[in-house]
Amino acid sequence: MKCELISVGTELLVGDTLNTNVQFLSRELSLLGIRVCFHTTVGDNPQRLEEAVRIAFERSDLIITTGGLGPTQDDLTKEVIAEIFGKKLVQDQKTKDDLMAYFANREFTMTPNNLKQTFIPEGAEILFNPCGTAPGILLREQGRIIIMLPGPPREMTRMFEEAVLPVLQQDHQQLVISRYYNLSDIGESAAEDRLLDLIDTQVNPTIATYAKMGEVLVRITANGHDENEINALLDHYEGIMLSRFEDHIFTFSKASLQETVAELLMTNSITLATAESCSGGLIAAQLTEQPGISKIFGFGLVTYSNEAKMKLLNVSKATLDTYGAVSAETASEMCKNLSALSGARLNVSVTGIAGPDGGSDEKPVGLVYIGICFDDQTEVYRYHFNGDRKVVQQKTANKVFHLIRKTIVDKA
Amino acid sequence: MKCELISVGTELLVGDTLNTNVQFLSRELSLLGIRVCFHTTVGDNPQRLEEAVRIAFERSDLIITTGGLGPTQDDLTKEVIAEIFGKKLVQDQKTKDDLMAYFANREFTMTPNNLKQTFIPEGAEILFNPCGTAPGILLREQGRIIIMLPGPPREMTRMFEEAVLPVLQQDHQQLVISRYYNLSDIGESAAEDRLLDLIDTQVNPTIATYAKMGEVLVRITANGHDENEINALLDHYEGIMLSRFEDHIFTFSKASLQETVAELLMTNSITLATAESCSGGLIAAQLTEQPGISKIFGFGLVTYSNEAKMKLLNVSKATLDTYGAVSAETASEMCKNLSALSGARLNVSVTGIAGPDGGSDEKPVGLVYIGICFDDQTEVYRYHFNGDRKVVQQKTANKVFHLIRKTIVDKA
């Protein structure tokens, strides 16, 4: 099945809006085994939209449009498509009722132009919009399918997942199930490398990796006709994932490393304190982004200067003079003294050189020491991270979250 | 002049890559007064690329392709376009020399397939690539211009700015000059509203706004034939900008608020310390992202719990019991005590309710107190921010940077 995506909206052609819709749809359709061959974008211009739809209809089995379904005069997608295929637009009573209910619930006044959204090309199926007023439309014509979706990404993605995916799966007569594995402490290319034999020969299931700083999300998607068969197939791949990535899988969901670690700390009621030098508060900031974290986090220090390390953490001048601020000895002393000060069960210290200045042959930019003191046992880890200042700081924070998780899993 | 953008690359059609190139080019071309009418994306497939180029050539005066210029067998853009217009590919000696020099400087071994990049359609102009190996190509054919750019955004944007923009300006016989105004403490819609009379009637100069969390960048671009005339026009608009946004303009460049404030602190050698509750270290983290910040920043505290506020900052139990942790009194005491502890000239304290829990009728989620103690003078500011937890934290940090700047500008 060959597919073409048509994006409608002048905001795309003048560069006001980044077209994230085509990436989402391309990824979802590819995972279903549908081949996307063209993306086309046109403005709110009926002639150019007609031209794009006619060209797409010649060369594709499935056409999905996004945008141009709203209440204003600029919104012309269904009008143009109805015209091309000689369909009248007829008012749909259910859609009208839904629209009335939508406005009644919100205590907004409905302007009359909203009623434009209740007119649908005759014979078309209506796709309910769970978070907006413009319904989607599915039209079957000469063995081809034309699907019109709203432009706002939040509306489009939910409509695709809830109303379009089941239709496409049914047309394919297939069920599709995905499982997720989120990995830390491994890069995307290294993760892909361990999966290359499977990726190179993949048919069913398909394997996709998505990299964020410090995380690689692996999605394994299988399709078939029978749920038990699909799950058996996925179980087999789960065995492979576990054997190849055991230590790296921090969650079987899309949750981030920071969310997962915060949850782990809260579930186990493990109190945590931080003392940061080169990461400058980033670890505390990422922790306190998580709702409810005050249950286990109370104390954070950003001891950026030597003076602060001495004054706030009682690090000895002798240690700083003898070994330097960036040393295993300083990291260890920061961590132990933090533990005494905070009374937390888990204490983390960080000291390093984020750059761009301050590096030397002996202590290059990117050198970072991390101390972890858990139940009064202190371990110090040494790393050398590549990248600019911001990257070194982010890699440091990611490593800390990885080490916190590992410490709890191994020792708690 | 009507323009069509053609993006080439299978990674776009399977959704692996977000197409940021078309947004960049659409924006730049629109500002030049060139009308972008279509975006088309095809995979690394010669037939479909040929089809897309032929269709674009029928309906556009300017075609810009991105992608498919690299050294591998998949890279087919110039081969397909040369074939369409009956051009031979001929090796360019200068491009070959540049390529050899590129690899010599990097001490990589050049694989033979790299030489593919030195072959150019006969009669085409070569666009030098300052940060990669694939040169761009400009071809004039039957009164139309076809420009081929590399796909990696970093290479594409620099080549566009350095090699394409001058050609398009010359073709237009126009000079284009932009000025920037970066605003804080104002939302994008409020900023746009103050410029609506100018935006609605804009011809020359054009005005574009770009919003980031806490910042609105305004770009004013004028074109003409004479540099003095253009600058006179821009001076007139600068007067308007200053009168309408005086307090909000923090820099006449694209630099962020955090960069600008860090620079201001460092230039004036003003030392700073922070004590954060609801922002959880975010302010310290944003500060320490800036290179060289250790000159003025040494001390940061994340006093998330009441215990930490008492133990680390000596906030009195009576204040916390009487007024609560989220109060002007606590913010003030945190700030004054931080000043005594840190010895810094400028001290910032933050206490508030980031949510989602912890709010009440009297103290709702989003309530934030910020204390600023400068030269031993303390001021406390009260805000109520809307948004989820992360947004409240980010708005708090942005407000703090805005207040730091205002304090220094007013008092230092």
Side-chain angles (χ1 to χ4, degrees):
Chain A
M1 191 183 235
K2 286 200 284 186
C3 174
E4 174 153 356
L5 305 179
I6 300 179
S7 310
V8 185
T10 303
E11 70 280 11
L12 297 163
L13 293 182
V14 296
D16 279 351
T17 304
L18 181 62
N19 196 342
T20 56
N21 284 343
V22 291
Q23 185 184 27
F24 171 84
L25 289 170
S26 296
R27 190 180 277 174
E28 293 297 318
L29 293 162
S30 297
L31 285 168
L32 281 175
I34 293 171
R35 197 145 46 100
V36 179
C37 296
F38 291 94
H39 299 162
T40 304
T41 303
V42 294
D44 302 311
N45 176 306
Q47 286 76 34
R48 297 214 184 93
L49 174 56
E50 178 178 343
E51 184 181 338
V53 173
R54 286 192 188 279
I55 290 172
F57 197 75
E58 285 298 310
R59 60 193 183 188
S60 309
D61 310 299
L62 169 66
I63 300 171
I64 301 182
T65 70
T66 49
L69 292 185
T72 74
Q73 292 303 317
D74 273 358
D75 293 307
L76 288 164
T77 303
K78 75 182 166 200
E79 286 76 3
V80 166
I81 290 176
E83 176 85 21
I84 292 174
F85 299 109
K87 306 278 182 195
K88 267 194 279 193
L89 291 171
V90 291
Q91 190 167 39
D92 181 71
Q93 189 59 44
K94 167 102 181 27
T95 303
K96 190 178 168 187
D97 295 344
D98 289 345
L99 187 73
M100 296 301 195
Y102 180 93
F103 279 98
N105 283 335
R106 273 164 185 77
E107 294 174 352
F108 295 159
T109 311
M110 187 183 82
T111 52
N113 59 359
N114 273 287
L115 286 174
K116 180 171 173 299
Q117 298 171 108
T118 64
F119 286 81
I120 307 295
E122 53 181 352
E125 294 165 44
I126 293 162
L127 309 173
F128 178 68
N129 188 336
C131 45
T133 55
I137 296 164
L138 187 148
L139 191 66
R140 290 174 194 270
E141 189 70 29
Q142 301 167 45
R144 294 166 175 78
I145 302 175
I146 302 163
I147 296 172
M148 300 168 232
L149 302 177
R154 204 173 60 95
E155 298 179 30
M156 189 281 293
T157 52
R158 270 197 66 182
M159 192 181 286
F160 183 85
E161 283 167 354
E162 291 173 21
V164 178
L165 212 50
V167 172
L168 294 177
Q169 288 181 6
Q170 205 174 19
D171 266 50
H172 266 53
Q173 300 209 319
Q174 280 187 333
L175 261 173
V176 179
I177 302 175
S178 292
R179 291 193 192 170
Y180 294 90
Y181 306 87
N182 213 345
L183 318 178
S184 65
D185 203 39
I186 187 169
E188 188 181 24
S189 58
E192 249 182 29
D193 203 57
R194 289 199 203 171
L195 292 169
L196 218 54
D197 55 322
L198 305 177
I199 290 174
D200 277 350
T201 59
Q202 67 182 347
V203 182
N204 186 28
T206 54
I207 301 171
T209 60
Y210 308 93
K212 278 205 310 180
M213 171 69 72
E215 292 174 20
V216 180
L217 180 67
V218 179
R219 170 157 88 163
I220 301 188
T221 301
N223 59 57
H225 304 284
D226 177 275
E227 195 174 331
N228 292 333
E229 272 174 35
I230 298 174
N231 275 319
L233 191 57
L234 289 172
D235 286 344
H236 172 67
Y237 276 77
E238 184 142 320
I240 297 174
M241 284 300 296
L242 288 170
S243 74
R244 295 189 188 180
F245 294 102
E246 200 190 353
D247 273 359
H248 297 283
I249 300 170
F250 63 85
T251 179
F252 295 83
S253 75
K254 292 193 242 181
S256 74
L257 179 60
Q258 284 75 7
E259 283 162 19
T260 306
V261 168
E263 195 56 45
L264 188 67
L265 289 163
M266 292 191 279
T267 307
N268 293 285
S269 300
I270 296 173
T271 51
L272 173 73
T274 55
E276 305 180 56
S277 187
C278 69
S279 54
L282 186 61
I283 295 159
Q286 289 186 350
L287 262 177
T288 51
E289 245 179 46
Q290 314 305 326
I293 199 74
S294 62
K295 287 186 202 76
I296 59 97
F297 178 75
F299 263 79
L301 302 174
V302 185
T303 51
Y304 209 65
S305 63
N306 279 359
E307 194 202 342
K309 289 180 186 71
M310 292 188 284
K311 202 160 178 177
L312 295 174
L313 272 177
N314 211 18
V315 174
S316 74
K317 192 163 181 310
T319 304
L320 292 169
D321 286 347
T322 312
Y323 303 103
V326 180
S327 63
E329 290 76 8
T330 298
S332 174
E333 208 169 310
M334 285 171 71
C335 204
K336 285 177 186 160
N337 296 2
L338 175 66
S339 178
L341 179 71
S342 71
R345 193 169 169 204
L346 208 158
N347 294 271
V348 176
S349 68
V350 171
T351 181
I353 304 162
D357 302 321
S360 65
D361 281 352
E362 199 197 340
K363 295 188 178 180
V365 168
L367 177 69
V368 175
Y369 290 92
I370 298 173
I372 304 265
C373 175
F374 184 64
D375 288 344
D376 294 325
Q377 296 287 313
T378 302
E379 305 244 15
V380 175
Y381 304 82
R382 181 184 188 278
Y383 299 100
H384 185 197
F385 299 117
N386 292 315
D388 66 20
R389 181 175 179 85
K390 203 169 163 177
V391 170
V392 168
Q393 291 174 325
Q394 287 178 334
K395 285 184 174 174
T396 300
N398 287 325
K399 186 65 85 173
V400 164
F401 281 92
H402 175 77
L403 290 173
I404 292 173
R405 186 182 157 272
K406 210 171 131 45
T407 302
I408 296 174
V409 169
D410 291 350
K411 298 186 183 169
Chain B
M1 191 184 233
K2 288 200 284 187
C3 174
E4 176 153 355
L5 305 179
I6 300 179
S7 311
V8 186
T10 302
E11 70 281 10
L12 297 163
L13 293 181
V14 296
D16 278 352
T17 304
L18 181 63
N19 195 342
T20 56
N21 284 343
V22 291
Q23 184 182 28
F24 171 83
L25 290 171
S26 296
R27 189 180 278 175
E28 294 295 319
L29 293 162
S30 297
L31 284 169
L32 281 176
I34 294 170
R35 198 144 46 100
V36 179
C37 296
F38 292 94
H39 300 164
T40 304
T41 303
V42 295
D44 302 311
N45 175 306
Q47 285 77 35
R48 298 213 183 93
L49 175 57
E50 179 178 343
E51 185 182 339
V53 173
R54 285 192 189 278
I55 290 172
F57 198 74
E58 285 297 311
R59 61 192 183 188
S60 310
D61 309 301
L62 170 66
I63 300 171
I64 301 181
T65 70
T66 50
L69 292 185
T72 74
Q73 292 303 316
D74 274 358
D75 293 305
L76 289 163
T77 303
K78 75 182 165 196
E79 287 77 3
V80 166
I81 290 176
E83 176 86 21
I84 292 174
F85 299 108
K87 307 276 184 196
K88 265 194 280 193
L89 290 171
V90 291
Q91 190 165 40
D92 180 73
Q93 189 58 44
K94 167 100 181 31
T95 303
K96 190 178 169 187
D97 294 344
D98 289 343
L99 187 75
M100 295 303 195
Y102 179 94
F103 279 98
N105 283 335
R106 272 162 186 78
E107 294 175 352
F108 295 159
T109 310
M110 188 183 84
T111 53
N113 58 359
N114 273 287
L115 285 174
K116 179 172 174 299
Q117 298 171 108
T118 63
F119 285 81
I120 308 295
E122 52 181 352
E125 293 166 44
I126 293 162
L127 309 172
F128 179 66
N129 189 335
C131 45
T133 55
I137 296 164
L138 187 148
L139 192 65
R140 291 175 193 269
E141 188 70 28
Q142 301 165 46
R144 295 165 174 80
I145 302 174
I146 303 163
I147 295 172
M148 301 169 232
L149 301 177
R154 204 173 61 95
E155 297 179 31
M156 189 281 293
T157 52
R158 270 197 67 182
M159 192 182 286
F160 183 85
E161 284 167 353
E162 292 174 20
V164 178
L165 213 50
V167 172
L168 294 177
Q169 288 180 7
Q170 205 174 20
D171 267 49
H172 266 50
Q173 299 208 317
Q174 281 189 332
L175 261 173
V176 179
I177 302 175
S178 293
R179 292 193 192 169
Y180 294 91
Y181 306 88
N182 213 345
L183 317 178
S184 66
D185 203 38
I186 187 168
E188 189 183 23
S189 57
E192 250 184 27
D193 204 55
R194 290 198 201 172
L195 293 169
L196 219 54
D197 55 323
L198 305 176
I199 291 173
D200 277 351
T201 58
Q202 67 183 348
V203 182
N204 187 30
T206 54
I207 301 172
T209 61
Y210 308 94
K212 277 205 313 182
M213 171 69 72
E215 291 174 22
V216 181
L217 180 67
V218 179
R219 170 157 87 163
I220 302 189
T221 301
N223 58 58
H225 304 286
D226 178 275
E227 196 174 329
N228 292 333
E229 271 175 37
I230 299 174
N231 275 320
L233 191 59
L234 288 172
D235 287 343
H236 173 67
Y237 276 77
E238 185 142 317
I240 297 174
M241 286 299 296
L242 288 170
S243 73
R244 296 189 187 180
F245 294 104
E246 198 190 353
D247 272 1
H248 298 282
I249 300 170
F250 63 86
T251 179
F252 295 82
S253 76
K254 292 194 243 182
S256 74
L257 179 60
Q258 285 74 7
E259 282 163 19
T260 307
V261 168
E263 195 57 44
L264 188 67
L265 289 164
M266 290 191 280
T267 306
N268 293 285
S269 299
I270 296 174
T271 51
L272 173 73
T274 56
E276 305 180 57
S277 186
C278 70
S279 55
L282 185 60
I283 295 160
Q286 289 186 351
L287 262 177
T288 51
E289 245 179 45
Q290 313 307 324
I293 199 72
S294 63
K295 286 184 201 77
I296 59 97
F297 179 75
F299 262 79
L301 302 175
V302 185
T303 51
Y304 208 65
S305 62
N306 279 359
E307 194 202 344
K309 289 180 186 71
M310 293 188 282
K311 202 161 179 175
L312 295 173
L313 272 178
N314 210 19
V315 174
S316 75
K317 192 165 181 308
T319 304
L320 292 168
D321 286 347
T322 311
Y323 304 102
V326 180
S327 64
E329 290 77 7
T330 298
S332 174
E333 208 169 310
M334 285 170 72
C335 205
K336 285 177 188 163
N337 296 1
L338 175 65
S339 177
L341 180 69
S342 71
R345 194 171 167 202
L346 208 159
N347 294 271
V348 176
S349 68
V350 171
T351 181
I353 304 163
D357 302 321
S360 65
D361 282 351
E362 200 197 340
K363 295 188 178 179
V365 168
L367 178 68
V368 175
Y369 291 92
I370 298 173
I372 305 267
C373 177
F374 184 64
D375 287 343
D376 294 325
Q377 296 286 312
T378 303
E379 305 243 17
V380 175
Y381 303 82
R382 181 183 187 276
Y383 299 99
H384 185 198
F385 299 117
N386 292 314
D388 66 19
R389 181 177 180 83
K390 204 170 161 176
V391 170
V392 168
Q393 291 174 326
Q394 287 178 333
K395 285 183 175 175
T396 300
N398 287 324
K399 186 64 86 174
V400 164
F401 281 92
H402 174 76
L403 290 173
I404 293 173
R405 185 182 156 273
K406 210 170 129 45
T407 301
I408 297 174
V409 170
D410 292 349
K411 300 187 182 170

